[in-house]
Amino acid sequence: MGYDKVEVPKQGEQIEVTGDDELVVPDDPIIPIIHGDGIGVDVGPAAQDVLQAAANATGREINWMRVYAGESARERYDENLPDDTIEALKEFKVSIKGPLTTPVGAGFRSLNVALRKRLDLYTNIRPTYHLDGVPSPVKRPEQMDMVSFRENTEDVYAGIEWEAGTDDVQKVKEFVEDEMGFDSTIHDGPVGIGIKPITEFGTKRLVRKAIDYALENDRDSVTLVHKGNIMKFTEGAFRDWGYEVAEEEYGEKVITEDTLWEERDGEPPEDAVVVNDRIADNMLQQILTRTDQYDVLALPNLNGDYLSDACGAQIGGLGIAPGANVGDGRVLAEPVHGSAPKYAGQDKVNPTAMILSGRIMLEFMGWDDAADLVRDAVEQTIVDRKVTYDIERQIEGGEKLATSEYANAVIDNLEDLA
């Protein structure tokens, strides 16, 4: 198709998708990239250079297609999320983006949420693992090796809410009180009201992704994290629907924790994935006190936001933590951190999270050799104490590098390892 203000690279082929939503990736794919807002102008190009080097080192080529969202889109299109960008991400299937600014309170809703909804990227995947040499606030950060599967389209992020003082919120309040019988629940005075939808459809496709990942990657367990003891008909339903998937769709490949103890004295069958569940607030404790007992987490949207950030803190913070949004036959990789506009353009911040988000992208493309090179080269660079300011100030004998210098150091190590 044609685009208004961006150009499709003249070289390269398009990634295709089979009827089973499997990616068919050529050795020279076209991949859209959004550098992002704020520090995106620094970390975007840095990650792009490292990922290109990994592709080249394994005999491949990435043909980058620069597309725009947020501030850069407003400058070029006078809107935050132009059709060019949405169509490019749809057409080319695999892409990567930097951070986009979401204002608190007034202003436009989250562009990240908008992208996930418009592309039906219903799973947010955040692998959390410690890199040797990265300072951590916990004693044994190497125990952290979890992968969070966060539902991306529902829960309180669905955007169904009404502002205090409006006619619409008054209508909702009156309906809740008069028609539904909650006449003594909402306090008097101004009130904002939101709705929290959690569906069987949304839950089950998310839990399938988590279980499939565990089976394909030799993970031992999938934990459903919920607050179903209080929100019985939303998060409690998430738990119940998750167990239905495990019990009805996977046969002997998956076993629930209750069955494990009732029938097998706690001994799982060989190569089977154990599905269990934990209350969300308790899980925030468990990831600190029993870190090595958990593997893959499946969570509703808000719990996934909280828990994955808490996991990220244990491995050195959000400047290290990668992520990706995944749908059926489509991937949009993105770092976990925000846009930090006060550091924009200073060539200062840590690009590791975006680089490692690119690693997830490479894994989904089937380029495991390139993905492994990226991780190993990043880790070697940090072990060598060649780091950006955020890590340099926490270690002794470190060499403080600019964002671009750090990317070059990673590329040097990558080429040495290839």
Side-chain angles (χ1 to χ4, degrees):
M1 67 164 292
Y3 293 91
D4 183 17
K5 297 181 180 179
V6 297
E7 293 184 5
V8 178
K10 292 182 173 59
Q11 305 297 319
E13 298 181 59
Q14 185 172 329
I15 294 173
E16 301 294 343
V17 178
T18 69
D20 296 327
D21 294 319
E22 297 292 327
L23 297 176
V24 180
V25 183
D27 285 340
D28 60 343
I30 297 170
I31 295 182
I33 183 169
I34 301 169
H35 285 170
D37 292 334
I39 59 172
V41 301
D42 302 305
V43 301
Q48 183 174 327
D49 289 346
V50 171
L51 298 174
Q52 184 67 267
N56 294 159
T58 52
R60 306 179 181 103
E61 179 77 21
I62 296 175
N63 298 278
W64 297 102
M65 179 180 179
R66 179 84 185 276
V67 294
Y68 303 88
E71 183 179 354
S72 63
R74 291 194 297 275
E75 293 172 354
R76 182 172 287 246
Y77 295 87
D78 198 29
E79 59 179 310
N80 290 308
L81 194 54
D83 289 341
D84 272 359
T85 298
I86 294 296
E87 292 306 317
L89 301 185
K90 285 181 178 179
E91 181 177 3
F92 294 100
K93 311 299 187 297
V94 172
S95 50
I96 185 170
K97 61 174 281 295
L100 296 173
T101 299
T102 299
V104 176
F108 58 84
R109 290 190 182 274
S110 168
L111 290 175
N112 296 317
V113 173
L115 282 166
R116 293 165 189 168
K117 287 185 176 180
R118 292 186 64 177
L119 299 169
D120 199 25
L121 300 169
Y122 57 86
T123 306
N124 182 251
I125 301 177
R126 295 185 179 181
T128 310
Y129 50 87
H130 184 247
L131 296 170
D132 192 18
V134 176
S136 167
V138 299
K139 292 181 178 178
R140 300 189 63 186
E142 70 279 0
Q143 291 187 342
M144 172 59 69
D145 185 14
M146 298 183 202
V147 185
S148 301
F149 281 70
R150 168 191 173 191
E151 203 289 320
N152 240 355
T153 64
E154 301 187 327
D155 204 349
V156 292
Y157 287 75
I160 308 173
E161 60 177 357
W162 296 271
E163 185 179 2
T166 63
D167 291 341
D168 286 342
V169 82
Q170 186 61 29
K171 290 178 185 177
V172 176
K173 182 174 184 290
E174 290 174 359
F175 174 77
V176 169
E177 292 179 335
D178 299 340
E179 299 293 327
M180 303 305 295
F182 292 91
D183 55 350
S184 60
T185 302
I186 302 174
H187 295 301
D188 293 334
V191 58
I193 296 177
I195 290 180
K196 177 188 177 76
I198 289 183
T199 67
E200 179 182 12
F201 173 77
T203 298
K204 286 188 172 181
R205 67 178 181 172
L206 179 279
V207 174
R208 288 187 196 103
K209 283 284 190 190
I211 294 176
D212 289 345
Y213 178 91
L215 289 168
E216 292 166 6
N217 292 275
D218 297 321
R219 296 281 183 157
D220 294 331
S221 66
V222 174
T223 301
L224 309 170
V225 184
H226 61 92
K227 191 64 177 170
N229 56 332
I230 303 299
M231 291 172 277
K232 300 181 185 299
F233 305 132
T234 51
E235 299 206 12
F238 177 90
R239 171 193 180 275
D240 294 343
W241 288 325
Y243 274 127
E244 285 181 12
V245 170
E247 293 168 345
E248 297 173 5
E249 299 184 17
Y250 287 90
E252 294 182 356
K253 293 187 292 185
V254 173
I255 187 170
T256 64
E257 188 174 49
D258 287 347
T259 302
L260 181 69
W261 286 102
E262 289 171 3
E263 299 181 7
R264 300 184 61 91
D265 296 324
E267 287 295 326
E270 186 176 355
D271 298 327
V273 169
V274 177
V275 174
N276 53 34
D277 74 282
R278 298 291 183 268
I279 300 297
D281 51 333
N282 181 51
M283 192 64 193
L284 284 164
Q285 172 184 257
Q286 297 277 320
I287 61 172
L288 280 168
T289 60
R290 301 184 181 183
T291 310
D292 58 355
Q293 294 183 19
Y294 295 95
D295 208 341
V296 176
L297 311 181
L299 317 96
N301 210 334
L302 185 60
N303 291 340
D305 203 357
Y306 292 158
L307 264 293
S308 59
D309 278 12
C311 289
Q314 292 184 225
I315 52 97
L318 299 188
I320 302 293
N325 301 292
V326 178
D328 294 329
R330 186 167 288 125
V331 180
L332 173 61
E334 66 175 0
V336 173
H337 61 69
S339 60
K342 71 177 181 178
Y343 296 120
Q346 296 181 25
D347 197 22
K348 176 179 182 179
V349 298
N350 191 344
T352 297
M354 189 159 177
I355 292 170
L356 293 179
S357 297
R359 179 197 178 210
I360 303 174
M361 181 187 79
L362 296 175
E363 288 177 329
F364 271 90
M365 292 164 58
W367 293 7
D368 291 347
D369 51 353
D372 290 344
L373 275 178
V374 169
R375 179 194 161 133
D376 293 346
V378 167
E379 187 167 51
Q380 186 60 56
T381 306
I382 296 170
V383 168
D384 293 341
R385 298 176 182 263
K386 294 181 177 180
V387 291
T388 48
Y389 85 100
D390 55 319
I391 295 179
E392 186 270 339
R393 64 187 178 181
Q394 300 181 65
I395 63 175
E396 293 184 7
E399 179 182 352
K400 183 168 67 174
L401 302 180
T403 307
S404 55
E405 292 172 334
Y406 174 82
N408 289 334
V410 173
I411 291 169
D412 288 343
N413 280 321
L414 189 153
E415 292 172 345
D416 288 341
L417 291 167

